[in-house]
Amino acid sequence: MTELTVDTLHRILVRCAGEGDTDGVGDDTLDISFQDLGYDSLALMEAAAVIEREHGVALSDEEVATVPTPRALLTMVNEASANAA
């Protein structure tokens, strides 16, 4: 399984939320809440489904609903991926 990077997360979120709907995710926004970045729960749930398909990491609805920031999501996915290997 490959590590989820900031660039990959940005691509996934843009695809799930639409580019014009959000401020985007980058190195400078990793610690800003998803809510402040303009991502709603539906976009995050769709992103979790894409992450599961592309990276083999299944996140529960509870995990997705409570993940506060892009950095927290990256950490959650990459730790779960490393533990599964």
Side-chain angles (χ1 to χ4, degrees):
M1 287 178 250
T2 60
E3 179 179 358
L4 182 63
T5 65
V6 173
D7 291 336
T8 302
L9 178 59
H10 174 77
R11 178 187 52 78
I12 291 169
L13 288 169
V14 165
R15 184 168 58 175
C16 293
E19 187 162 0
D21 296 341
T22 63
D23 290 335
V25 171
D27 290 332
D28 57 335
T29 60
L30 286 175
D31 296 312
I32 298 173
S33 74
F34 280 113
Q35 181 179 2
D36 288 344
L37 290 171
Y39 293 101
D40 62 15
S41 59
L42 180 60
L44 292 176
M45 293 294 180
E46 289 180 29
V50 173
I51 289 168
E52 183 174 3
R53 279 193 310 274
E54 293 184 3
H55 294 274
V57 175
L59 303 173
S60 71
D61 290 347
E62 293 80 24
E63 288 174 310
V64 175
T66 60
V67 69
T69 64
R71 184 182 309 276
L73 180 58
L74 286 168
T75 299
M76 183 185 302
V77 170
N78 289 329
E79 285 178 356
S81 181
N83 290 335

